[in-house]
Amino acid sequence: MKKKEIRSLFRYHCTRIPREVYLVDLQTVMLQEAHKAYPSHEEVDQWADRLLKQSEAVAIHAEFVDYCPITVSFGNSPNTLVNKYVKFMASDGRKTFYGYWQPAIRTPAPLLINLPGYGSSISMHPQLADQGFHVLHISPLGYTEPDRIHPEMQLPDGNWPVLDHTARGLKGGYEDWLSDCLLAIRWALQQPGVLPQMSLFGTSQGGGGSLLLASILGEKVRCVCADLPFLTDFPVTELEGPAYSILKPAYEETDHAQFWNRLGYIDTLSHAHRIHVPVMLSAGGLDHTCPPKTIEHLFSKLDCTKQYTLSKKVVHTHSRESMVLFSAWLHLYA
């Protein structure tokens, strides 16, 4: 039974039941559907191992881009002008994608991998580079280039298609997104002066993606900072809010068992049993995009060194609080 049919059924038979009860019933339906369809731990293990092996079979070529929007030093970042955009090209013909490379001032130095939020903007973190880390920001799937975005790749509602395509089983979903990241990480680990392990950090999609990559890469990862992580506890969200509602059309137009099964592989909760490195999680008390209850559920499932910070007045955004938490956790464990 599809979601719109469920809603109609509840409205017809439960017109005298308070709306709160109706919503609880709808959430129960989604939880039951997802519970039956989500992959087992063994299936998640096989999925993660397959993605890693597939990426290892692909050759990656990268070249620095002769383009820099910053022409003078600013702030407290003496190495700003040596930062460079990186163009990634793979041997399997996938779309070219980009990154942003910030080398540490002194080497050898640890590697940090930063992943984008759902807007896919390319960002820099000079504070962390100046603190003794190499930093690679990755922008998968070619949505964004150094000097432009590609709106023709967006869905009609203006959102990027990676989540919708995942739920529908189409090319360009999170398997491809994560594969791009794995290739870029391999390149970064081969750069001069880079120590052989890395840590991962990001906000929203970047936080959720960091957790998924930590699961896939295993002992190659030292720690994770997942700020307001997206891709977490899909059924509890009822597919509501600015981010999770992207899934509504796919839910209504596809088989529900397949829908939940596909999402189950990229739900960070499905990977909690695989993550054994220190993990920092944070949530915002005013965040209606990635609700704190989803992040708290993930925190309860993790069996590792972990920290959870709830900032009561934080909305869904990368914030000053985020950078302070990132820096402290990375200095402890990266």
Side-chain angles (χ1 to χ4, degrees):
M1 186 179 293
K2 295 184 178 179
K3 185 174 180 180
K4 57 186 177 183
E5 295 170 345
I6 294 170
R7 291 188 183 278
S8 298
L9 184 66
F10 284 143
R11 287 179 183 135
Y12 180 78
H13 291 289
C14 306
T15 54
R16 295 181 182 275
I17 295 178
R19 183 174 183 275
E20 296 77 21
V21 176
Y22 157 70
L23 289 175
V24 169
D25 288 340
L26 182 58
Q27 184 181 85
T28 299
V29 169
M30 288 190 169
L31 286 169
Q32 291 174 344
E33 289 177 343
H35 178 72
K36 292 177 181 178
Y38 260 40
S40 66
H41 284 183
E42 292 75 17
E43 289 171 326
V44 172
D45 293 342
Q46 293 170 6
W47 179 88
D49 292 343
R50 174 177 60 81
L51 277 185
L52 185 58
K53 288 178 181 177
Q54 287 178 345
S55 74
E56 291 172 344
V58 177
I60 183 68
H61 172 72
E63 58 186 40
F64 290 113
V65 177
D66 187 20
Y67 170 82
C68 183
I70 303 168
T71 56
V72 295
S73 301
F74 65 94
N76 296 316
S77 184
N79 78 328
T80 296
L81 294 179
V82 301
N83 302 340
K84 294 181 179 180
Y85 289 100
V86 190
K87 182 179 182 180
F88 292 105
M89 295 157 284
S91 61
D92 60 357
R94 72 183 64 196
K95 186 174 178 59
T96 297
F97 64 100
Y98 291 81
Y100 192 73
W101 177 243
Q102 297 174 263
I105 297 174
R106 296 182 180 86
T107 61
L111 173 64
L112 305 182
I113 300 298
N114 176 241
L115 302 176
Y118 208 78
S120 293
S121 59
I122 296 175
S123 61
M124 62 181 70
H125 294 276
Q127 313 96 313
L128 295 174
D130 288 347
Q131 291 174 33
F133 298 102
H134 299 290
V135 185
L136 174 66
H137 172 90
I138 307 171
S139 182
L141 299 181
Y143 293 158
T144 306
E145 297 187 29
D147 58 348
R148 66 178 65 87
I149 64 169
H150 288 279
E152 73 278 4
M153 299 178 69
Q154 294 174 326
L155 297 172
D157 64 4
N159 285 302
W160 298 110
V162 59
L163 183 58
D164 176 84
H165 283 192
T166 301
R168 296 178 189 271
L170 301 176
K171 185 174 175 57
Y174 274 106
E175 285 197 15
D176 294 328
W177 191 96
L178 291 164
S179 180
D180 280 359
C181 292
L182 291 170
L183 294 179
I185 289 170
R186 190 204 308 163
W187 171 85
L189 286 169
Q190 295 171 350
Q191 298 313 294
V194 175
L195 294 173
Q197 292 176 303
M198 91 291 299
S199 298
L200 303 130
F201 74 102
T203 297
S204 191
Q205 177 185 245
S210 293
L211 290 160
L212 296 177
L213 284 169
S215 166
I216 294 168
L217 288 164
E219 61 185 16
K220 296 179 181 178
V221 176
R222 291 187 60 84
C223 71
V224 178
C225 301
D227 177 43
L228 318 175
F230 188 39
L231 311 177
T232 298
D233 210 0
F234 289 104
V236 164
T237 70
E238 298 182 59
L239 311 186
E240 298 292 345
Y244 289 102
S245 62
I246 294 170
L247 288 164
K248 283 184 175 180
Y251 181 80
E252 295 174 355
E253 296 165 11
T254 62
D255 177 82
H256 288 183
Q258 294 180 4
F259 172 90
W260 289 118
N261 181 258
R262 291 166 185 149
L263 289 181
Y265 284 103
I266 61 152
D267 191 326
T268 60
L269 267 72
S270 298
H271 293 258
H273 72 285
R274 294 175 52 85
I275 299 175
H276 307 294
V277 298
V279 173
M280 183 217 85
L281 298 175
S282 58
L286 301 178
D287 185 352
H288 304 296
T289 302
C290 296
K293 63 183 177 182
T294 63
I295 300 162
E296 289 162 6
H297 191 189
L298 172 62
F299 182 76
S300 71
K301 283 186 169 292
L302 288 170
D303 184 18
C304 59
T305 298
K306 57 186 179 179
Q307 172 182 301
Y308 170 66
T309 300
L310 173 65
S311 299
K312 294 288 288 184
K313 296 183 179 181
V314 166
V315 298
H316 191 75
T317 184
H318 178 69
S319 63
R320 180 177 179 274
E321 290 90 340
S322 304
M323 286 308 305
V324 172
L325 290 169
F326 287 164
S327 179
W329 199 252
L330 293 168
H331 276 288
L332 276 171
Y333 296 109

